[in-house]
Amino acid sequence: MTESLCSTVFQPSFGSFSNIFGRKPVVLIALVFFLVGAIVSGTSTNLPTLLIGRSIQGVGGGGIITLIEIIITDLIPLRLRGQYFGLIGSMLGIGSAIGPLLGAGCSERVSWRWIFYINLPFIGGALVLVPLCLRVLFTPKSVRMQLLRYDYVGTFLFITSTVSFLTPLTWGGVMYPWQSFRTLVPLCIGAAGFIAFIIYDIYAAADPLIPMSIFGSPTAMISYFGAVVHGFAIWCLLYYFPFYFEAVKEYSPVLAGVSLFPILLTLAPSAVVCGRLITKTGRYQLAIWAGWTISALGMGLLSRVKADTSTLGCVFLMLIPGLGLGILFPGVIVAVQASATPGQLPIAVAMCSFFRSFGQSIGVAIGGAVFQNRMRANILTYPALASHADDYSKNAAEVVHIVRECPDAMMKRDLQIAYSDSLRTVWAVCCAVLGCSMFLSAFTQEYDLNRAMQDGPESTDEGVSGGEQSRDKAM
């Protein structure tokens, strides 16, 4: 969670710095951060060093994700971006699903250090290819002038508020109870900090880090909310479903990681196909409606999965939410960009990435809180287990080991039933949240995706990022 936190909070800053220094230097800096973080983590000999390495790696990873999407926006006209964001979405989905499998395999077969070392060849290749191949027509104004105008106060308020809000979400119910002051006080401070940040950026900042004008249309606000929900749902699914196979079906961590493959069978192809259809038709509204509807239906069906549901039945049920969540990858970000003005595009893209990552962070936390409360209530219905309700209703990862190591066969079966029923409630909550986005998506406006082709290269306040000319240079 440390890496996820650092990845989230610095994404808007990377978008702003790319407007000051240009895309290529900031991409290279993000790659260096990721490389240094991987090396520090892989060579660490104690927990503090490992956490420092993970934090550095998270900063770089967040920058890489944000800048890839910004560069696509620079190079590709709006009408054609859907197919590229579909490919990016499919890669993010594949990486999120395969990552835990590779991590489990490295830990079991080689060493946990290879979870970090395996990144080094890819980062090295990127550090060579980016300077050679990346050609973005982007001419920033005076670096000195923009650094003087940079929103340092807003950046400080935003980063500290986000950290204060997200950090207790990672330890709530794990290190400290949710009702503990150690959890509630940082949450309240973070919420107050967000309010202060918004007031400062509206009334005091000369050049705000996040211009509030990017939220100026209903479509933009609905799409940003959708990015949060999308991250929330997909990470709940990818994080918690393997625990079902470990605790209830008693699979090994590697096989539990393999259990995510059915999601990939629909998520990655649907993201690619949807992106191409958006490009071909110039319409994204129907894709958004379909994505939310199918995702909500799929999560609703997963809430019917019980302890005695067959593995084959689970596989078929996992296909449906994967299909819907894949469709939403290109749909949501195209809607964000279509509702933004050309000068707002870099920060709009960065904020879409931020809100998706923010949703992932709160998804694990809220899913964990729902699981713990439901697990405790379920265990209390079994007289033989009731006295252990508090111990057996910890976070889902710890309870896996309790269930698997239970010596009494009858008690183990009761625990497995309680565990699967608790996860059913998590899926039901996801279904409800997705249903809210499905309702709100009815108010999404369909903008003309051909306007960039008609108007020529898109300009920004800081420089020029231009459609087809820069795309030709990149070839």
Side-chain angles (χ1 to χ4, degrees):
M1 293 302 294
T2 302
E3 182 181 9
S4 176
L5 174 64
C6 292
S7 172
T8 302
V9 300
F10 287 99
Q11 287 177 348
S13 298
F14 271 104
S16 293
F17 281 124
S18 73
N19 286 337
I20 296 174
F21 298 104
R23 312 303 191 214
K24 187 186 296 185
V26 181
V27 171
L28 292 173
I29 290 171
L31 287 168
V32 170
F33 267 97
F34 198 86
L35 174 64
V36 172
I39 293 173
V40 172
S41 299
T43 57
S44 62
T45 56
N46 52 62
L47 183 58
T49 305
L50 177 62
L51 291 177
I52 291 171
R54 294 282 286 167
S55 299
I56 296 171
Q57 192 175 17
V59 172
I64 292 168
I65 293 171
T66 300
L67 289 162
I68 286 173
E69 296 180 346
I70 290 176
I71 289 169
I72 292 295
T73 303
D74 289 337
L75 296 176
I76 309 299
L78 180 59
R79 172 68 181 268
L80 304 180
R81 289 175 199 157
Q83 58 188 334
Y84 290 90
F85 286 117
L87 286 169
I88 292 171
S90 68
M91 294 300 102
L92 289 173
I94 291 172
S96 298
I98 291 181
L101 174 62
L102 291 177
C106 290
S107 298
E108 284 191 359
R109 305 293 181 183
V110 192
S111 167
W112 62 267
R113 298 183 187 277
W114 279 95
I115 297 173
F116 304 102
Y117 293 155
I118 199 172
N119 294 295
L120 301 184
F122 299 101
I123 306 170
L127 286 171
V128 172
L129 292 174
V130 166
L132 293 176
C133 302
L134 182 60
R135 297 289 185 273
V136 181
L137 182 61
F138 184 89
T139 308
K141 292 181 180 178
S142 167
V143 171
R144 180 177 177 274
M145 182 63 67
Q146 292 195 78
L147 285 175
L148 290 174
R149 289 174 53 84
Y150 185 76
D151 187 11
Y152 295 102
V153 175
T155 299
F156 174 79
L157 288 172
F158 180 81
I159 291 176
T160 54
S161 300
T162 307
V163 170
S164 180
F165 188 84
L166 291 181
T167 300
L169 291 180
T170 65
W171 68 46
V174 182
M175 294 175 60
Y176 307 108
W178 284 104
Q179 64 273 21
S180 168
F181 76 92
R182 292 182 176 88
T183 302
L184 295 177
V185 170
L187 282 173
C188 293
I189 292 174
F194 281 130
I195 295 172
F197 166 74
I198 292 171
I199 293 173
Y200 174 81
D201 261 23
I202 291 176
Y203 296 106
D207 191 5
L209 173 70
I210 304 172
M212 294 300 117
S213 58
I214 67 172
F215 306 102
S217 70
T219 297
M221 291 189 291
I222 292 169
S223 298
Y224 286 128
F225 176 76
V228 175
V229 174
H230 187 228
F232 174 96
I234 197 169
W235 206 245
C236 264
L237 185 62
L238 295 177
Y239 182 80
Y240 286 107
F241 214 91
F243 293 150
Y244 170 85
F245 286 100
E246 284 192 68
V248 180
K249 300 300 184 183
E250 301 190 55
Y251 287 1
S252 69
V254 173
L255 285 178
V258 173
S259 70
L260 293 175
F261 280 20
I263 298 174
L264 294 182
L265 288 176
T266 50
L267 189 149
S270 65
V272 174
V273 171
C274 177
R276 292 188 65 84
L277 287 175
I278 290 174
T279 293
K280 184 175 182 179
T281 64
R283 302 177 67 87
Y284 56 86
Q285 195 176 50
L286 182 60
I288 292 176
W289 292 345
W292 291 123
T293 302
I294 296 171
S295 299
L297 173 64
M299 286 294 189
L301 291 174
L302 282 184
S303 69
R304 308 306 302 165
V305 171
K306 301 180 180 179
D308 57 357
T309 301
S310 68
T311 300
L312 184 61
C314 291
V315 167
F316 280 109
L317 291 177
M318 291 165 70
L319 297 174
I320 300 172
L323 175 65
L325 292 170
I327 291 171
L328 290 170
F329 265 115
V332 169
I333 193 168
V334 169
V336 166
Q337 296 196 19
S339 64
T341 62
Q344 296 173 338
L345 276 174
I347 190 61
V349 172
M351 289 307 296
C352 185
S353 181
F354 165 79
F355 280 121
R356 190 194 306 125
S357 298
F358 187 86
Q360 292 174 355
S361 298
I362 65 173
V364 174
I366 294 175
V370 170
F371 174 87
Q372 290 164 11
N373 291 327
R374 196 63 226 160
M375 187 69 175
R376 187 177 188 280
N378 288 334
I379 289 175
L380 288 174
T381 62
Y382 298 99
L385 297 172
S387 61
H388 301 285
D390 292 332
D391 293 333
Y392 290 178
S393 58
K394 299 176 182 179
N395 69 83
E398 289 187 24
V399 179
V400 167
H401 302 291
I402 294 173
V403 175
R404 291 173 66 95
E405 295 172 6
C406 183
D408 185 279
M410 184 64 70
M411 290 179 63
K412 175 183 280 193
R413 189 57 184 168
D414 291 341
L415 280 171
Q416 289 173 334
I417 293 172
Y419 196 98
S420 64
D421 287 348
S422 301
L423 286 179
R424 289 172 62 191
T425 307
V426 174
W427 311 137
V429 169
C430 288
C431 176
V433 176
L434 288 163
C436 289
S437 281
M438 180 179 67
F439 170 76
L440 291 174
S441 68
F443 302 97
T444 301
Q445 183 178 346
E446 188 96 69
Y447 289 90
D448 181 15
L449 299 186
N450 293 310
R451 69 174 189 268
M453 289 183 172
Q454 295 165 354
D455 298 339
E458 298 172 31
S459 63
T460 69
D461 294 336
E462 293 78 8
V464 177
S465 56
E468 305 224 354
Q469 183 178 358
S470 53
R471 182 159 55 95
D472 293 338
K473 283 177 170 286
M475 296 300 183

